[in-house]
Amino acid sequence: MPRADQTAELHLSTNTGPAVDSGQPDDGEQATPRPRRRRWGRIALITVIVLVVLAGAGVVAGGLYVRSINSGIERVDAFEGVPEESRPQVVATGAMNIMILGSDSRDPENASGSRSDTIILAHLPKDRSSAQLISIPRDTWVHVPKSKEGRGGTDAKINAAYAWGGVPLMVQTVEEFTGVRIDHVTMVDFAGFKEIVDALGGVEITVDKAFTSTHSLNPDGRREFAQGKQTMDGAAALDYARERYAFADGDFTRIKHQQQVIKAILDKAVSGGVVTNPAKLNSFVKATADAVAVDQSLSLVDLATELRHLRSGNLGFFTCPTKGTGRIGSESVVLADKPKAKRVFDAVRRDSVPDILSAAK
């Protein structure tokens, strides 16, 4: 399995909101022991995109790449110990729901690796003509079921589920909160964007407002971002996507920036001559394929084939509806708007894309 200190995540959203705290374990919390092999993936979502590009190319070399990646992918027991009787029933046969977990392993405040910074429910409709990615803020206050080890069984921030019971308890918690059955799990490390972007020769990003990153990869820890359209290399794109302290709404602007980078990567991979250039293709695949973790049953070959026509224009990025932030005891939390969230996730369960788009506005 990819390194667990490279936990997986991507905060994706079209919405913004108030800043929240760091999401690190609170005093008195104990993280679960880290797995012996700590390689959670550089970017599983982007690996799927790579495979989509390859499958769509219809070339023999591409097909060989896809099969090689799938056979060598790291696997995790995402559903081990999840009680079947507590899981939501399948409502829309043929649709697929993937839970994407992740974190930024290069974030100096995320050294513990004990929590998942990003939680996304990715919905793939039965016809596979689009994808809806719904971000659940990591500090959302929910009920966390009790793990098989006896931890949890209380209300807490949703990302505490990973600290208390690993991926299986995250599955249970997200399923209980959303009412949506999780079919597959993907884990990513947002820091892997650097290698992906460099393999593409940079990506084009439009910066809405100039700001200074104070957690940069530069030696002095600072990077200035000017307003306007610009081409970013891997280090700049990572700094852009990880910064949150420069903004009044903190993590929510970071979510928006990560969304920009993901869409820019997909656009560049599709239009930048990657498939037709063996050198670019090789470096792009290498930058993604050797550090990915997915559940035991996910076939990236099949998924890539099904999604071969998907482009950034077919991706919808949303956030679970919230009432903003508040305090429960000593903790700063995100308060879900439960009636609105129910409408969103009911639409996901029914595989009604128009209703998802309407309810998630």
Side-chain angles (χ1 to χ4, degrees):
M1 191 174 85
R3 287 193 305 268
D5 59 2
Q6 294 181 343
T7 326
E9 164 175 70
L10 308 169
H11 257 316
L12 310 175
S13 165
T14 54
N15 301 328
T16 58
V20 295
D21 66 12
S22 66
Q24 294 304 308
D26 300 302
D27 293 341
E29 290 184 6
Q30 295 179 353
T32 51
R34 298 179 187 177
R36 183 173 54 190
R37 293 191 66 201
R38 302 178 56 77
R39 295 186 61 204
W40 273 27
R42 293 181 188 168
I43 191 104
L45 179 61
I46 300 304
T47 298
V48 171
I49 290 172
V50 174
L51 298 177
V52 169
V53 172
L54 296 176
V59 293
V60 174
L64 293 175
Y65 264 124
V66 170
R67 284 161 179 77
S68 174
I69 292 169
N70 194 68
S71 63
I73 212 78
E74 299 284 354
R75 302 283 173 174
V76 60
D77 290 324
F79 302 96
E80 182 182 9
V82 178
E84 182 61 34
E85 63 273 14
S86 69
R87 303 192 66 194
Q89 296 298 308
V90 175
V91 175
T93 304
M96 183 183 295
N97 298 301
I98 302 175
M99 183 174 71
I100 302 173
L101 302 176
S103 70
D104 179 1
S105 65
R106 299 184 187 186
D107 186 337
E109 292 193 357
N110 196 39
S112 70
S114 63
R115 291 197 174 194
S116 176
D117 294 329
T118 297
I119 304 153
I120 296 171
L121 181 61
H123 177 71
L124 304 178
K126 182 178 181 179
D127 63 9
R128 302 296 191 263
S129 63
S130 63
Q132 293 75 47
L133 291 87
I134 305 167
S135 177
I136 302 173
R138 62 189 181 178
D139 291 337
T140 302
W141 193 253
V142 301
H143 178 259
V144 178
K146 185 172 291 186
S147 71
K148 64 178 182 179
E149 295 82 14
R151 303 196 67 191
T154 186
D155 291 347
K157 295 179 183 181
I158 194 168
N159 67 350
Y162 178 73
W164 292 339
V167 180
L169 190 57
M170 282 298 303
V171 170
Q172 285 182 260
T173 302
V174 170
E175 287 190 336
E176 180 179 297
F177 174 64
T178 64
V180 175
R181 188 180 180 94
I182 303 300
D183 299 302
H184 296 290
V185 174
T186 294
M187 292 172 286
V188 301
D189 177 11
F190 197 69
F193 274 159
K194 180 180 183 298
E195 287 75 19
I196 302 298
V197 172
D198 284 338
L200 288 171
V203 294
E204 193 172 81
I205 299 290
T206 298
V207 179
D208 291 335
K209 185 178 180 180
F211 68 92
T212 300
S213 170
T214 56
H215 292 76
S216 170
L217 297 180
N218 287 334
D220 63 355
R222 296 176 64 85
R223 188 187 299 272
E224 303 289 337
F225 288 94
Q227 185 177 12
K229 185 179 293 186
Q230 53 207 269
T231 299
M232 297 184 188
D233 64 9
L238 179 55
D239 287 347
Y240 179 75
R242 77 196 306 202
E243 179 61 42
R244 65 181 181 271
Y245 298 105
F247 314 109
D249 53 8
D251 280 330
F252 292 86
T253 292
R254 182 170 68 164
I255 287 170
K256 179 181 177 181
H257 289 177
Q258 290 177 352
Q259 171 196 343
Q260 283 184 282
V261 174
I262 291 168
K263 294 179 74 172
I265 289 173
L266 178 53
D267 287 338
K268 185 66 176 286
V270 172
S271 63
V274 173
V275 173
T276 58
N277 185 315
K280 283 187 177 182
L281 180 62
N282 189 54
S283 62
F284 190 28
V285 171
K286 282 185 175 180
T288 60
D290 63 351
V292 173
V294 299
D295 66 81
Q296 297 285 355
S297 63
L298 179 61
S299 170
L300 293 180
V301 173
D302 293 343
L303 187 59
T305 302
E306 293 176 12
L307 301 180
R308 62 186 179 277
H309 300 302
L310 197 66
R311 298 294 181 264
S312 65
N314 306 121
L315 300 180
F317 296 86
F318 309 97
T319 295
C320 174
T322 74
K323 295 180 179 179
T325 59
R327 299 202 70 84
I328 295 181
S330 62
E331 298 189 76
S332 175
V333 304
V334 172
L335 302 170
D337 188 326
K338 293 183 179 179
K340 291 183 179 180
K342 184 178 187 301
R343 288 196 293 272
V344 172
F345 295 120
D346 279 350
V348 171
R349 267 208 331 275
R350 293 184 286 105
D351 191 25
S352 175
V353 174
D355 288 345
I356 295 173
L357 303 182
S358 175
K361 286 183 180 179

